[in-house]
Amino acid sequence: MKVLPFIFRTPNRRILALAVLVIALDQLTKQLVLRSLGFREEKVIVEGFFKLVHWENTGAAWSLFKDNNFVLAIIAAIALVVLFFSRHHFNARSPLGQAAFGLIFGGIVGNLIDRLRDHHAVIDFLYFYLQQRGGTELGFPAFNVADSAICTGVGLIFLLTWKSERGAGTPEPAPMK
């Protein structure tokens, strides 16, 4: 097992390894959805709370900028480059920072693969909702593994930034005598 220490030797390799893991998990789960559910098909897992769905999103989060798949693919590619070259500003040397960037990079690439594939849309399949009286659903927008990775990574970046700014803040005043 001399391969694993080699892979995880540097921060960049650790970021890359997690990104590859996220991409693989994201694409595997999307392939399972494509093989088991028809387009717009839904399968209730927990009645009134959770469904597996096969929805396609040509927009960004919450279907913002719908039908702008090509523009969003370009923005994603630019974001990858900008994040890669600015990662040193966000404590990418710490294990938590490396995890954050691995999650973000893997998530962006996972969704970018979808945008560039034949269907030119991101496959979303996790749908949480509440069944209201009268039968209507109050739901959170459907999402996928890549979306979860991006959100988790961004949350970690915010946490690291807040923690470092809080630690570098002004000293507390001396107690009054």
Side-chain angles (χ1 to χ4, degrees):
M1 275 304 211
K2 291 185 177 190
V3 173
L4 286 179
F6 175 75
I7 291 172
F8 298 113
R9 186 175 297 159
T10 67
N12 286 340
R13 287 183 182 160
R14 287 188 285 270
I15 291 169
L16 179 62
L18 183 55
V20 168
L21 180 66
V22 168
I23 294 164
L25 184 59
D26 178 64
Q27 292 300 301
L28 173 68
T29 55
K30 289 173 180 173
Q31 285 304 309
L32 289 172
V33 168
L34 289 170
R35 290 182 182 162
S36 61
L37 293 173
F39 181 61
R40 295 227 178 258
E41 189 177 343
E42 303 176 354
K43 180 174 173 62
V44 175
I45 303 301
V46 178
E47 185 68 43
F49 182 69
F50 177 64
K51 295 179 187 179
L52 287 176
V53 299
H54 175 182
W55 295 350
E56 295 182 359
N57 184 1
T58 59
W62 293 280
S63 294
L64 295 172
F65 313 112
K66 189 175 179 182
D67 298 325
N68 285 294
N69 190 59
F70 181 72
V71 172
L72 291 169
I74 291 171
I75 290 170
I78 292 169
L80 273 172
V81 172
V82 169
L83 283 170
F84 179 78
F85 287 110
S86 65
R87 70 192 183 287
H88 63 276
H89 292 292
F90 297 100
N91 197 8
R93 289 244 172 241
S94 74
L96 207 52
Q98 293 161 20
F101 278 98
L103 290 167
I104 293 169
F105 291 152
I108 291 173
V109 171
N111 281 340
L112 185 57
I113 289 169
D114 286 4
R115 291 189 187 284
L116 299 176
R117 272 209 180 135
D118 298 335
H119 43 271
H120 299 291
V122 173
I123 304 297
D124 291 325
F125 59 91
L126 301 168
Y127 180 64
F128 290 89
Y129 67 101
L130 294 175
Q131 193 79 38
Q132 296 180 312
R133 290 184 186 142
T136 59
E137 292 178 3
L138 178 63
F140 188 81
F143 59 98
N144 57 47
V145 172
D147 297 334
S148 298
I150 292 167
C151 290
T152 303
V154 168
L156 288 173
I157 294 294
F158 279 130
L159 181 66
L160 287 169
T161 303
W162 174 72
K163 185 179 171 185
S164 70
E165 286 179 2
R166 195 166 167 225
T170 58
E172 298 210 12
M176 305 230 358
K177 295 183 179 182

